[in-house]
Amino acid sequence: MADENEIRNVVMEVLTDLTGSDEITKDPDVNLFETGLLDSMGTVQLLLELQNRLGIDAPVSEFDRTEWATPNKIIAKVASLQ
């Protein structure tokens, strides 16, 4: 089970890799979907990578964009799935 710092580091690293942008580290409340930083394919890749690296179970079928819209929301959601 990962602690919040580890979760934050993994989420930020994965998002930076997927988006190719460092905007997420500057503004962890940026809406990833409204800004176009993350699309549906990126979402699937994000979920798979978080499952692999943190051992969470987050099925795409249960994905709610509003709960995963910003880096901070993703960190909170991943922490709740631990």
Side-chain angles (χ1 to χ4, degrees):
M1 189 141 130
D3 66 22
E4 190 165 340
N5 282 337
E6 183 180 353
I7 292 170
R8 176 174 296 282
N9 291 339
V10 169
V11 167
M12 291 304 211
E13 183 180 321
V14 171
L15 284 173
T16 301
D17 288 348
L18 285 175
T19 64
S21 171
D22 63 354
E23 184 175 345
I24 57 144
T25 55
K26 294 176 187 169
D27 181 9
D29 291 312
V30 64
N31 189 305
L32 299 167
F33 301 107
E34 287 178 3
T35 58
L37 288 169
L38 203 59
D39 58 15
S40 57
M41 188 55 151
T43 300
V44 172
Q45 290 174 303
L46 171 68
L47 293 176
L48 290 174
E49 192 63 27
L50 293 177
Q51 286 174 9
N52 288 337
R53 292 182 61 179
L54 295 171
I56 61 161
D57 184 26
V60 175
S61 59
E62 296 175 19
F63 181 82
D64 179 352
R65 263 185 138 161
T66 58
E67 294 179 345
W68 297 78
T70 71
N72 279 336
K73 286 184 177 184
I74 293 169
I75 292 162
K77 184 65 178 175
V78 169
S80 77
L81 295 171
Q82 289 271 298

